[in-house]
Amino acid sequence: MAKLVSKTYGDALFQLALEEGKIDSFLEEANGVSEILLENDSLVKLLNHPKIGKDEKVQVVEEIFKTNMSAEFTGFLVLMVKKDRQKEFLSVLHYFIDKVKEYKKIGIAYVTSAVELDADQQKKIEEKLLATTRYESLEMHYGVDKGLLGGMVIRIGDRIVDSSIKTRLQKLSQGLTKIQLA
């Protein structure tokens, strides 16, 4: 159910952004609201408290966001509160952000290596990924996992390229266990 709510409201926000020609500003506002919600647990608790009425929740949302957000974006958040969907704020905003990134052909790549990569290595990896994917730009996230022993694992969306020594050793081990000695 939560996925359906995220998709329905996220698609509606995306369509509104397209119609209004405000993709970039809505993306910025969605990132800002997400950050605020992630940093302010007390705000989330207040918006989800069952004993606080919708009118009061609407007033809180308007007071917090009206001065720093567009009227359309604030109105969208108010609509979600009126429809009692404020629990889904983050999932809707994340869905919307992902949809905008797809629209703008911005990929998100997670690169995990056995050792820290220097700037030149990171640049070469990004260039290679841009050349072999449909994305025009990439949001790169680098991590280190010494358990890989060597090589790297790259994940973009649901695609994974695993060239780690750890995985190669596991495959070799599995192959050796299948061999029957005569």
Side-chain angles (χ1 to χ4, degrees):
M1 178 70 168
K3 237 180 184 160
L4 181 62
V5 171
S6 302
K7 182 176 176 4
T8 303
Y9 282 85
D11 285 341
L13 183 58
F14 182 74
Q15 285 303 316
L16 178 63
L18 279 177
E19 289 169 12
E20 298 291 323
K22 295 184 175 184
I23 291 282
D24 292 328
S25 63
F26 276 26
L27 177 61
E28 191 177 314
E29 290 173 334
N31 282 318
V33 172
S34 285
E35 201 172 300
I36 289 168
L37 293 173
L38 289 170
E39 292 174 358
N40 295 295
D41 194 44
S42 56
L43 173 61
V44 174
K45 286 179 182 176
L46 177 104
L47 290 173
N48 293 321
H49 199 285
K51 291 188 179 178
I52 298 176
K54 283 184 189 176
D55 292 338
E56 291 171 279
K57 291 176 184 179
V58 166
Q59 188 177 0
V60 167
V61 167
E62 286 178 336
E63 284 179 21
I64 292 172
F65 299 113
K66 202 172 204 172
T67 56
N68 298 317
M69 304 282 168
S70 65
E72 296 92 347
F73 201 88
T74 304
F76 179 79
L77 295 175
V78 167
L79 174 72
M80 285 189 69
V81 171
K82 287 181 178 177
K83 298 285 186 179
D84 204 24
R85 298 293 191 197
Q86 67 277 0
K87 288 180 183 164
E88 307 299 329
F89 272 167
L90 280 174
S91 62
V92 169
L93 294 173
H94 289 151
Y95 178 89
F96 170 76
I97 291 166
D98 289 345
K99 188 150 176 106
V100 170
K101 285 180 181 176
E102 276 296 315
Y103 175 77
K104 296 180 84 162
K105 295 186 179 174
I106 300 170
I108 302 169
Y110 297 90
V111 178
T112 307
S113 57
V115 295
E116 190 77 32
L117 300 172
D118 63 34
D120 188 46
Q121 291 170 318
Q122 289 179 358
K123 185 176 186 227
K124 286 179 183 176
I125 290 169
E126 185 175 354
E127 288 171 355
K128 182 73 171 173
L129 291 174
L130 283 171
T132 58
T133 63
R134 59 184 163 78
Y135 298 110
E136 293 175 3
S137 66
L138 288 167
E139 230 178 68
M140 300 296 292
H141 300 276
Y142 294 95
V144 175
D145 179 0
K146 294 187 185 309
L148 296 178
L149 304 175
M152 66 183 66
V153 178
I154 301 171
R155 182 171 64 87
I156 301 176
D158 59 355
R159 291 178 49 203
I160 297 175
V161 176
D162 188 342
S163 65
S164 67
I165 292 174
K166 178 182 178 182
T167 300
R168 290 180 186 174
L169 287 173
Q170 286 173 341
K171 288 179 181 177
L172 181 62
S173 175
Q174 289 171 351
L176 288 174
T177 58
K178 290 179 183 176
I179 297 175
Q180 291 183 338
L181 296 175

